[in-house]
Amino acid sequence: MTTTLSKNTDNVINTPGGTIHVRPYRSSSNAQLKAVLSFTPRVSSLDRHNERSQTDEFRGFFVLFWIGLALLFLRTSIQSWEENRTPLSWNFGRLITGDALVLALSDLIMVLAMFFCVPFVKGLQNRWFSYHWTGLIIQHTFQTLYLGTAVWWGYHRQWYWVQSGFLVLHAMSSMMKMHSYMSHNGMLATVFFQLQEEKRQLEEAVKLAPGGREKLLEEAASRKADLEAAEGVTPVGTPGVGTPGAMTPRVSFSGPSGANAGYEDPSALLKKHIANFTESGSASGFTTSIKDGTPEPLGPSAEFRQRSNKRKKKNQATDALPQPRANLPLGTSLEPSHNSLPHEPMPPSDLAWSTNEQIALLARNIDAMQEEITSNGAKGLVWPQNVTYKHFVEFAFFPTLVYQLEYPRTETMRPLVVVEKIVATLGTFSLIYTITEHYILPMIPKPGDSLIKSFINLALPMMVNYLFIIFECVCTGFAELSYFADREFYQDWWNSTSWDQFSRKWNKPVHTFLLRHVYASTMTGLQLSRTSAAFVTFFLSALCHELVMAVVTKKIRPYLFLMQMAQLPMIALGRLPIVRRNKTVGNIVFWAGLMSGFPLLAICYLIY
């Protein structure tokens, strides 16, 4: 089941038999939470397969919203036909279709250039160079040239803002995917070769030990048996019932609810998991007594006592084992978790019970690093098994910017859902085109125009264009085609009461990338505080937004950059108790700021 740091509904899974609550354990190997992020089979907030949104009391207003936009589209088309004898004006169409073939070929070349990532990682695998620092220099040089080429090419071709903006935005998203792929594999390569070094040191230590390997194994087995007999517990290495393994989430069960369509029933997964346990145990709040196919939940106090007792016995039995070295390189400990049943944690090595402290420590280091190069998914993929062109092609099609060895997958692809998303994409584009052509371009401010009138004319149509969620159409379509199970590309950002909520909910693919590769990386790599890491994250995001505006407007102005950075003091204000207590006021302030930003940016960049 999913493990997540957040304290929201991400850790709740509805099933026909009840609600599964999932809470993460700390990793036994490095005392860090496994899930910095989470990937889990989910549907988006507005997806028609989302049972929660389909039973929402305000779902009728959502339907009314789309009916109103359809009427606006018809009204505009009829008016255009009466005036120009065309359903829609083609002025904007001529601009966005200009140089379309060159744009398509340019984009194809940029996509093919992404495959540089595979030979880069193969170079790490073959030890042609190390990730620190040669690999880092190669990686960031390539990424800079990649993005710089996209920016230069748009200027060179003198493209309209649509073509140049599209190419740069696609180049940015591709660059983020490449960065995640290369940096994560670089981290795994570091772990892998450190693992080989520790194995070499262990072999040397074993050879120097009196009696050699056989004597060491005999002593270790005897010591292990003595400890197990003294504690009277299940032999160490056997998966214990309710044992918090390095990658095992804790699951509890409560009252009835509904399930999302299109995914394997989580309760069925739990029953498979429970079937592996002995009859005398319980699994994370379930008894193994099953009536009519339904596990009987324990009472809260009994469940707590059983967990505490099992944890206590397990800790007593393993206290004799040395802890792995604290400065070991990390791998999959920093990968997002997901709710596929993870591979069984490997039992401690036999030599970990050795009375020779050096050998026992090396064995424990090897155990820990072996887990670090093994995926958190059910397959238990081990690096470098993932370093193939096929695996990279799959990642390129997945609608995520964050790389990991395994993701939650669906069992089938539903053609009707793909058709639905194609139709939705075409319909959404038609509405965006109509609003842009008839309600935005004619109102673009020119020198001498009234700024207040321009602001009022642009605020609503720009806001409506912003509401069209590309993630619900394009990303979900690619997810269905690629069997990618996590469809939560956004959350209910329209209910945000502060800008930090909005930044987390609006664009989750980018948010997860920044969280893992900027925020978390600067804290671990540069030893920054949370505040400093947040500042760096916003600063980098603001620079990227400003770069897009420079490409689109062909002007270098700091307007969007300043607006982005202004979110930091606004976030601080939003955390004041007086603001947090009144969520309606917070939501009004959020919407007022969002609706004001678009026309103000248009006026600033076009006139000043």
Side-chain angles (χ1 to χ4, degrees):
M1 296 300 152
T2 183
T3 55
T4 176
L5 291 179
S6 61
K7 295 181 180 179
N8 54 25
T9 56
D10 286 354
N11 60 351
V12 176
I13 301 174
N14 293 322
T15 70
T19 301
I20 303 169
H21 302 272
V22 188
R23 297 180 292 279
Y25 280 122
R26 288 189 177 275
S27 166
S28 61
S29 62
N30 52 56
Q32 293 197 21
L33 283 171
K34 277 290 187 184
V36 175
L37 316 168
S38 66
F39 283 115
T40 180
R42 292 176 289 201
V43 291
S44 58
S45 297
L46 301 179
D47 192 283
R48 65 183 179 85
H49 297 104
N50 188 330
E51 188 169 298
R52 185 175 58 185
S53 65
Q54 294 304 311
T55 56
D56 188 88
E57 293 179 351
F58 292 92
R59 63 191 181 279
F61 285 99
F62 179 69
V63 176
L64 178 62
F65 169 78
W66 282 104
I67 292 175
L69 288 177
L71 291 174
L72 177 66
F73 177 79
L74 290 174
R75 174 185 175 278
T76 305
S77 299
I78 293 172
Q79 183 179 354
S80 176
W81 179 261
E82 291 176 347
E83 295 176 355
N84 307 309
R85 292 303 176 196
T86 58
L88 292 173
S89 175
W90 190 241
N91 294 327
F92 185 48
R94 281 191 290 270
L95 292 174
I96 63 176
T97 55
D99 224 6
L101 180 59
V102 176
L103 176 62
L105 290 174
S106 303
D107 193 58
L108 176 61
I109 292 172
M110 299 293 285
V111 170
L112 293 176
M114 294 175 64
F115 284 87
F116 169 79
C117 295
V118 182
F120 172 84
V121 178
K122 285 185 177 292
L124 294 174
Q125 178 186 351
N126 295 322
R127 305 203 78 168
W128 296 339
F129 52 87
S130 62
Y131 187 64
H132 298 282
W133 291 89
T134 306
L136 281 171
I137 293 172
I138 295 173
Q139 173 185 338
H140 287 91
T141 299
F142 174 73
Q143 290 173 183
T144 302
L145 290 173
Y146 186 89
L147 182 58
T149 301
V151 174
W152 169 80
W153 187 240
Y155 275 104
H156 177 73
R157 298 294 301 183
Q158 290 298 302
W159 274 334
Y160 191 57
W161 66 269
V162 177
Q163 289 90 336
S164 58
F166 168 79
L167 189 66
V168 169
L169 285 171
H170 194 188
M172 278 187 172
S173 62
S174 299
M175 187 182 71
M176 286 189 279
K177 289 181 81 82
M178 292 189 296
H179 177 87
S180 187
Y181 181 86
M182 289 191 282
S183 63
H184 193 59
N185 276 287
M187 180 172 60
L188 291 170
T190 303
V191 178
F192 179 81
F193 291 117
Q194 181 62 40
L195 172 63
Q196 308 312 310
E197 175 61 22
E198 299 274 339
K199 286 182 177 179
R200 185 191 65 78
Q201 293 180 19
L202 178 62
E203 288 300 318
E204 290 182 357
V206 168
K207 288 179 182 178
L208 295 175
R213 178 178 292 274
E214 290 185 3
K215 181 66 174 177
L216 289 171
L217 288 174
E218 183 181 343
E219 290 178 352
S222 175
R223 180 167 177 254
K224 176 182 175 183
D226 290 344
L227 287 169
E228 289 172 351
E231 297 296 342
V233 296
T234 303
V236 175
T238 303
V241 179
T243 298
M247 282 168 286
T248 307
R250 178 188 298 170
V251 184
S252 60
F253 191 86
S254 63
S257 184
N260 293 328
Y263 302 98
E264 185 173 356
D265 184 0
S267 63
L269 293 175
L270 287 174
K271 290 174 184 177
K272 294 177 186 176
H273 194 46
I274 294 166
N276 296 327
F277 294 153
T278 60
E279 293 184 359
S280 60
S282 68
S284 303
F286 287 99
T287 63
T288 52
S289 172
I290 299 179
K291 296 181 179 179
D292 301 323
T294 304
E296 290 184 345
L298 293 170
S301 57
E303 178 185 347
F304 178 78
R305 283 195 301 272
Q306 286 200 15
R307 285 178 178 166
S308 299
N309 291 336
K310 287 176 175 54
R311 230 171 4 249
K312 184 177 179 182
K313 289 181 179 180
K314 179 68 176 176
N315 289 339
Q316 290 173 350
T318 57
D319 277 347
L321 291 177
Q323 289 298 314
R325 197 171 72 244
N327 62 344
L328 290 176
L330 300 179
T332 54
S333 291
L334 300 179
E335 278 194 4
S337 304
H338 57 75
N339 78 338
S340 299
L341 290 178
H343 68 275
E344 288 291 345
M346 293 178 293
S349 167
D350 290 336
L351 289 176
W353 301 89
S354 174
T355 54
N356 186 312
E357 293 183 3
Q358 179 190 8
I359 290 175
L361 178 60
L362 287 170
R364 291 291 286 155
N365 291 345
I366 291 171
D367 291 341
M369 286 189 289
Q370 194 65 49
E371 290 288 348
E372 291 296 322
I373 62 171
T374 305
S375 72
N376 292 332
K379 292 181 180 179
L381 196 67
V382 180
W383 196 91
Q385 293 175 348
N386 62 303
V387 187
T388 64
Y389 284 97
K390 178 184 177 182
H391 190 86
F392 182 78
V393 169
E394 287 184 346
F395 172 60
F397 275 93
F398 290 156
T400 178
L401 302 176
V402 175
Y403 178 75
Q404 67 177 43
L405 294 178
E406 282 190 66
Y407 298 90
R409 308 291 295 275
T410 58
E411 295 183 355
T412 59
M413 188 272 288
R414 298 165 291 179
L416 287 179
V417 173
V418 177
V419 173
E420 172 191 328
K421 298 306 176 183
I422 292 174
V423 173
T425 301
L426 294 175
T428 299
F429 177 77
S430 299
L431 285 168
I432 291 175
Y433 180 93
T434 302
I435 292 170
T436 304
E437 173 70 37
H438 295 274
Y439 300 100
I440 293 179
L441 292 181
M443 304 299 176
I444 291 297
K446 296 177 286 295
D449 288 356
S450 169
L451 298 184
I452 295 178
K453 184 178 179 181
S454 297
F455 175 87
I456 294 173
N457 288 334
L458 290 173
L460 184 58
M462 282 189 164
M463 189 67 254
V464 172
N465 262 5
Y466 189 73
L467 291 174
F468 292 116
I469 302 173
I470 190 173
F471 309 118
E472 186 58 61
C473 303
V474 179
C475 289
T476 306
F478 272 99
E480 192 67 38
L481 287 170
S482 60
Y483 296 81
F484 190 78
D486 192 346
R487 313 294 171 84
E488 191 182 66
F489 305 114
Y490 61 91
Q491 291 178 323
D492 59 333
W493 59 267
W494 46 87
N495 293 325
S496 298
T497 57
S498 63
W499 287 100
D500 57 334
Q501 281 188 12
F502 174 70
S503 65
R504 292 193 302 269
K505 292 181 175 183
W506 152 239
N507 188 337
K508 291 205 69 178
V510 171
H511 170 70
T512 53
F513 176 87
L514 292 174
L515 177 62
R516 179 177 172 189
H517 290 290
V518 181
Y519 181 77
S521 294
T522 52
M523 284 199 298
T524 56
L526 302 178
Q527 302 300 311
L528 297 183
S529 65
R530 290 177 180 269
T531 303
S532 299
F535 177 82
V536 171
T537 304
F538 270 89
F539 184 80
L540 180 63
S541 176
L543 284 179
C544 292
H545 281 81
E546 190 59 54
L547 174 62
V548 174
M549 292 305 298
V551 170
V552 167
T553 63
K554 296 180 172 59
K555 294 180 181 179
I556 298 179
R557 301 288 189 274
Y559 304 129
L560 182 55
F561 174 83
L562 293 175
M563 283 190 176
Q564 289 282 110
M565 296 305 295
Q567 292 184 48
L568 288 173
M570 293 175 67
I571 289 173
L573 290 174
R575 291 174 177 171
L576 294 175
I578 190 173
V579 179
R580 297 181 68 175
R581 281 196 296 267
N582 197 327
K583 295 186 180 299
T584 301
V585 172
N587 189 238
I588 291 172
V589 172
F590 157 73
W591 273 111
L594 195 63
M595 293 187 70
S596 301
F598 297 112
L600 285 176
L601 285 173
I603 292 170
C604 290
Y605 279 103
L606 290 171
I607 296 181
Y608 301 105

